[in-house]
Amino acid sequence: MSTVNPRRWWALGVLATAQFMVIMDTSIIGVALPEMQKDLGFSQGELQWVFNAYVIVFGGLLLLGGRLSDLFGARRIFAAGWVTMVIGSVLAAAAQNAAVEIAGRAVQGVGGALIAPSAMTLLMILFGQNPKELGKAMALYGAAAPAGGTAGVFLGGVFTEWMSWPWVFIIYVPIGLATLAATKLLPAVQARRGSVDVLGAVAVTAGLALAVFAVVRAPEIGWGATATVLELVAAAALLALFFVIQRTVREPLMPLGVWRIPRLGSANLAMTLLGAAWIPMWYFLNLYLQQVLDYGAFASGAALLPMTILLMIFMTAITSRLMGRFGAKPLIAGGLLLLAAGLVWLSAVEPTGSFLVDVLPASLVAALGMALAYIPAMIAAMSGAPQEQAGLASGIVNTTYNVGSALGLAALTALATTQGAGELGNLPALTDGFSAAFLGAAGIAAAGAVVTLLLMKGDKTPAAPASSDTDAPAARGEAAKV
């Protein structure tokens, strides 16, 4: 009989800090992008790589991180992830050119891919035997995610406005070192025998990166150019190779039988399209505020706070209650439609627009849609998974969200560039480009709603209360989001 860890709530603080920082890493750089562009020489189209380098590596290696955590012990991999995150942060902060900055962000992505799944494993070890404590721990851990997103938006503006953009990365060094020192509070986990599907991890990550690279370059060299076609074909071949590897190796990263879990496929498709619509909105809204409305970094971050606060309130306090009453399918479809409506509203932005008229109401509608759709999609993907596949299902749904984010941002950046977003200083052209991106994202969100209505089966029973055993897989997925 196992004993209760007397330091488990202190350990939860360490794990929640990790979740907070991993999520903050995707939001803190947003308002710093224009300053980074000036200092490091990014073109308007290349600037997305500051975000996508992290997201692609994080999403591509998330399953590998979970496997390494299982094999070598979650505490060891958690610590290794923070060492990697600190190294990547130093590299990104010290970058003097675009290539080094992208490399630093990629290293941060590796760190995040090690931290997120190992943190979830440790949380389940600490609280998994007590359903009431698990529900409370999951709620606290899950709340760290929207809190990290909110803090990132605010701190990114503070650091960029009154210090300098490298501080959005430097902040990770002291926090990372403090977290490493606190890992002694975490339970030791024995390593076990098994193999690591390194080839599968390399294939899926390289395939995603090459696909994004091809889409980013296509507006400059042409969609029909030989290089573009070859890159897209090679990306498809690498992704096909990943699935072949998963079918043939003894211990794959993603056993293909997992797709027989009810609603896993439709929920993951919804998550892919949700990420492909939401992340570009956040990205281009930052650029519109600073490059068109001429907001400073702090003002831009403050302008996004109402949206992120609304997200945090709904995700932590309201959406789960609505799930219990209506089930996942109506909330996912309705949330995606609300997101689409907010994006269509944002597409009407003007070169001489204002925050109160053109940005605030539309962004709040979009944020409400995101808050309604995200957690139900996570729960829909996880609810049918047996206990032994819950972690895998969680990893897959987080991976598809990140993949959708990266590919959506690449495609909509290409669209925005062709519509004028590459012409810095030309406010009408920039606005036309950003408007096209918002409209394209609206189409993606609307497609997600249609897919959900057509393909997803309805809930057979109401969602379980937060403190029950059956909610553990769902909470595990929600807490691991990026």
Side-chain angles (χ1 to χ4, degrees):
M1 182 176 179
S2 59
T3 58
V4 175
N5 189 321
R7 300 188 297 181
R8 62 194 181 283
W9 295 107
W10 289 103
L12 177 63
V14 176
L15 299 177
T17 299
Q19 170 77 335
F20 180 94
M21 297 302 291
V22 167
I23 300 303
M24 192 173 79
D25 207 13
T26 65
S27 64
I28 196 170
I29 57 102
V31 294
L33 288 173
E35 293 300 318
M36 295 169 70
Q37 182 178 17
K38 294 175 188 175
D39 289 352
L40 301 179
F42 282 100
S43 71
Q44 189 79 340
E46 293 169 342
L47 188 60
Q48 63 172 301
W49 281 104
V50 180
F51 179 82
N52 268 349
Y54 179 89
V55 170
I56 290 171
V57 174
F58 178 87
L61 296 181
L62 196 58
L63 294 176
L64 178 62
R67 179 66 177 159
L68 293 174
S69 178
D70 289 342
L71 291 179
F72 297 104
R75 188 169 74 174
R76 291 189 186 94
I77 298 303
F78 182 82
W82 274 108
V83 170
T84 307
M85 180 68 80
V86 169
I87 292 171
S89 300
V90 171
L91 188 61
Q96 298 296 311
N97 56 61
V100 175
E101 182 62 44
I102 291 170
R105 290 290 287 162
V107 174
Q108 284 189 309
V110 174
L114 296 176
I115 292 168
S118 57
M120 184 51 55
T121 299
L122 290 164
L123 188 148
M124 293 302 296
I125 290 170
L126 288 164
F127 298 99
Q129 295 179 352
N130 185 324
K132 289 185 178 180
E133 284 197 351
L134 178 62
K136 183 178 180 181
M138 284 293 187
L140 293 171
Y141 184 83
T150 303
V153 168
F154 178 74
L155 291 177
V158 171
F159 289 147
T160 306
E161 184 82 15
W162 286 302
M163 300 171 77
S164 60
W165 65 260
W167 280 93
V168 303
F169 303 114
I170 293 172
I171 187 63
Y172 281 84
V173 177
I175 294 176
L177 294 176
T179 303
L180 281 170
T183 55
K184 62 185 179 182
L185 295 170
L186 303 175
V189 183
Q190 276 193 326
R192 64 181 180 87
R193 292 184 178 182
S195 60
V196 179
D197 181 16
V198 175
L199 185 58
V202 171
V204 68
T205 306
L208 292 174
L210 189 56
V212 173
F213 180 72
V215 173
V216 170
R217 285 212 310 162
E220 299 175 13
I221 66 175
W223 286 96
T226 301
T228 301
V229 173
L230 289 176
E231 287 160 2
L232 290 173
V233 169
L238 284 167
L239 294 174
L241 175 62
F242 169 73
F243 285 100
V244 171
I245 293 169
Q246 302 315 288
R247 183 176 290 276
T248 55
V249 300
R250 182 195 290 183
E251 298 184 71
L253 287 177
M254 186 183 70
L256 298 183
V258 74
W259 292 101
R260 290 193 289 268
I261 294 174
R263 300 198 299 177
L264 182 67
S266 57
N268 272 277
L269 186 53
M271 284 296 288
T272 301
L273 296 173
L274 181 61
W278 172 257
I279 293 301
M281 187 215 74
W282 168 84
Y283 177 87
F284 286 109
L285 193 52
N286 265 306
L287 296 184
Y288 173 74
L289 288 168
Q290 294 192 53
Q291 295 180 348
V292 176
L293 298 189
D294 199 29
Y295 276 35
F298 177 76
S300 179
L304 297 175
L305 275 179
M307 180 172 66
T308 52
I309 290 171
L310 178 67
L311 271 174
M312 183 169 65
I313 292 171
F314 261 80
M315 282 189 173
T316 57
I318 299 175
T319 302
S320 60
R321 296 181 183 179
L322 294 176
M323 269 287 296
R325 182 165 185 174
F326 299 106
K329 182 177 178 177
L331 291 183
I332 297 169
L336 282 162
L337 286 175
L338 269 178
L339 175 57
L343 284 161
V344 170
W345 196 344
L346 278 173
S347 71
V349 291
E350 298 285 346
T352 57
S354 72
F355 169 71
L356 289 177
V357 174
D358 295 85
V359 175
L360 180 61
S363 68
L364 291 178
V365 171
L368 178 59
M370 173 63 171
L372 288 175
Y374 188 94
I375 292 177
M378 277 284 188
I379 292 176
M382 299 291 299
S383 59
Q387 187 66 33
E388 64 273 12
Q389 289 186 313
L392 175 61
S394 171
I396 290 172
V397 75
N398 279 284
T399 298
T400 56
Y401 177 77
N402 283 281
V403 169
S405 301
L407 293 177
L409 182 56
L412 293 175
T413 297
L415 173 64
T417 301
T418 61
Q419 297 300 312
E423 301 180 35
L424 285 176
N426 185 338
L427 300 190
L430 280 173
T431 305
D432 287 345
F434 298 155
S435 177
F438 292 138
L439 204 56
I444 292 172
V450 172
V451 164
T452 300
L453 291 171
L454 292 178
L455 300 182
M456 184 175 289
K457 294 181 179 179
D459 301 60
K460 294 182 180 179
T461 58
S467 62
S468 73
D469 286 330
T470 56
D471 209 33
R476 184 181 300 120
E478 189 279 330
K481 75 171 180 283
V482 175

